Amino acid sequence: MRTLVLNAGYEPLAVVSFRRALLLVLNDKATIVEHVVHDPVVGIDGIYERPAVIVLTRYVRIPSARRVPVTRRGVLRRDGHRCAYCGKAAATIDHVLPRSRGGSNSWENLVACCLRCNNHKSDHTPQEMGWELRWAPKPPRGPQWTVRGTERTDPTWEPYLGLAA
């Protein structure tokens, strides 16, 4: 069971275990905004609501430039597990400008790619192959990328994350 933590200004901060969330609530560092209806926590001192979303009582300053780290899993997720060259299911990633030619490990140079296209492209650029990218690779944006743990969201979190239902 996981809980979404909101800053005092209601912007999403992190996802924590329900135990950590309950401790924050019991220590008066947070209050429960949404709770799981039919699943209370029974303790020695009483019965408590199981938090689904909590808001901190004090504002926590976060760095303004929160950069999303580049990972293989992140590139595949950003591209919807679809090959940027042919559109089929992708399981690998490809450097648009190969590393041997100075290509970097950046969001702008990495795309999801199927194994067939990746092997066929090899150490060439898409222009040399006569290929075009189906979309321009860009860094991902939004709370589902900057807030850790929101890859798998709970339906009660959607109003706070700003995601379309």
Side-chain angles (χ1 to χ4, degrees):
M1 196 70 201
R2 302 171 325 137
T3 302
L4 177 66
V5 179
L6 304 174
N7 210 342
Y10 280 79
E11 58 265 344
L13 276 182
V15 176
V16 297
S17 69
F18 91 88
R19 288 179 180 170
R20 174 75 177 128
L22 195 57
L23 275 174
L24 288 169
V25 170
L26 292 175
N27 290 325
D28 293 325
K29 294 184 179 192
T31 55
I32 297 175
V33 177
E34 300 270 345
H35 62 89
V36 179
V37 179
H38 300 292
D39 197 12
V41 177
V42 180
I44 295 172
D45 298 338
I47 298 173
Y48 305 98
E49 296 173 330
R50 186 178 299 264
V53 180
I54 62 171
V55 62
L56 297 178
T57 54
R58 297 185 69 182
Y59 187 82
V60 175
R61 215 170 112 76
I62 54 173
S64 59
R66 249 189 181 175
R67 291 206 36 96
V68 180
V70 180
T71 61
R72 177 184 178 280
R73 196 163 129 199
V75 171
L76 289 169
R77 189 172 135 218
R78 177 200 65 188
D79 295 348
H81 289 78
R82 292 277 156 221
C83 179
Y85 302 113
C86 70
K88 293 182 181 174
T92 64
I93 60 171
D94 179 58
H95 290 81
V96 178
L97 177 64
R99 287 191 319 186
S100 63
R101 297 187 185 190
S104 62
N105 286 329
S106 66
W107 287 109
E108 295 83 4
N109 192 46
L110 290 170
V111 293
C113 188
C114 68
L115 192 57
R116 183 174 177 269
C117 288
N118 203 347
N119 287 335
H120 189 67
K121 181 178 170 278
S122 185
D123 196 29
H124 301 287
T125 65
Q127 292 80 17
E128 292 172 349
M129 299 295 294
W131 293 358
E132 284 189 25
L133 289 170
R134 292 177 172 255
W135 55 84
K138 295 183 260 185
R141 300 179 58 142
Q144 64 271 28
W145 291 96
T146 55
V147 180
R148 293 187 61 139
T150 56
E151 299 87 32
R152 294 170 289 137
T153 61
D154 187 291
T156 57
W157 299 356
E158 289 175 8
Y160 306 99
L161 292 174
L163 302 175

